[in-house]
Amino acid sequence: PPVPMVRPWAAAAVATVALLRSRPAGALFFELAPGSAEECFKWTPEVGSRVMGKYEADGPAEGIRVRIVGPEGTELWSSSTSSGNLHGIDAHSAGETYSLCFKSTISEKQTVSFDARWGHDYEQDDDPKSGGTKQFVTQTHTDQMKDVVLKLYNRVLDITEQQEFAITREAVHRETAESTNSRVVWWTLVEAAL
């Protein structure tokens, strides 16, 4: 039977999804519409953990209000800058829910991205440039991911070429075998007639 053809883009997409699923997701992108209700994301962290991460608004104009709301509904931290670090808020008791909320302050749509998680002090970075938190996704990470995807894509192209060659070779051999079988039948008929 013929070998099934693998489309390069499909194999690359499957490989990328497999790579991405091998790690927990860290960042989220969403659209924040003007005049819409506040968008909130909720966590129930472990006791003693601290919120860490970054956020950024992007659009024709940026205007955003970001706040962390505690279990009692009290505002624990807020910022009106279009990008920045989420500052350390500690979880003090088990089973309580904290919210990270975003609200647009402008009249245009904007895309908001954030990378936030709850962790412990030992997971923080001492580099003052990073704002006291680890860099979750850096240019090095994206370059490494780009290199891996490029290698996977090139390998998929190699496999596709090998499959095309195998299919062509199989077709040539099938034609040769059918031609040989046809000649054997005719030769047998000629010998039988003589």
Side-chain angles (χ1 to χ4, degrees):
V3 177
M5 191 73 154
V6 175
R7 298 193 192 311
W9 60 267
V14 169
T16 302
V17 168
L19 278 173
L20 293 176
R21 289 192 58 146
S22 66
R23 296 182 180 188
L28 180 67
F29 294 82
F30 65 96
E31 188 174 271
L32 193 59
S36 64
E38 190 173 49
E39 291 283 341
C40 291
F41 301 88
K42 298 181 179 195
W43 283 277
T44 306
E46 297 175 9
V47 175
S49 58
R50 173 176 285 203
V51 68
M52 295 180 272
K54 295 183 177 195
Y55 67 92
E56 182 176 0
D58 187 29
E62 292 94 20
I64 188 169
R65 181 164 188 265
V66 183
R67 61 191 195 115
I68 297 176
V69 179
E72 304 84 26
T74 58
E75 186 175 283
L76 303 174
W77 174 84
S78 70
S79 175
S80 295
T81 60
S82 62
S83 66
N85 293 322
L86 300 172
H87 292 282
I89 303 295
D90 295 323
H92 296 291
S93 53
E96 293 186 340
T97 302
Y98 292 78
S99 300
L100 175 61
C101 300
F102 299 89
K103 176 123 177 100
S104 178
T105 59
I106 61 169
S107 62
E108 297 182 33
K109 289 183 181 179
Q110 54 190 332
T111 300
V112 175
S113 62
F114 74 93
D115 183 358
R117 68 185 178 98
W118 288 85
H120 296 280
D121 287 337
Y122 59 81
E123 295 173 333
Q124 290 198 352
D125 195 358
D126 293 327
D127 182 7
K129 293 179 187 173
S130 70
T133 58
K134 286 186 177 179
Q135 297 291 324
F136 296 106
V137 179
T138 64
Q139 186 66 37
T140 304
H141 292 119
T142 55
D143 289 344
Q144 289 173 349
M145 181 59 96
K146 183 175 127 182
D147 291 342
V148 168
V149 169
L150 186 60
K151 286 178 185 175
L152 286 171
Y153 180 71
N154 287 332
R155 185 63 185 134
V156 167
L157 290 178
D158 290 344
I159 291 170
T160 302
E161 289 174 10
Q162 290 173 4
Q163 286 181 334
E164 289 173 357
F165 177 74
I167 290 169
T168 303
R169 187 174 63 184
E170 187 267 336
V172 167
H173 288 308
R174 186 177 349 105
E175 287 179 21
T176 302
E178 288 173 2
S179 174
T180 302
N181 288 341
S182 174
R183 289 181 188 157
V184 167
V185 168
W186 283 109
W187 184 255
T188 304
L189 289 175
V190 168
E191 280 185 339
L194 293 176

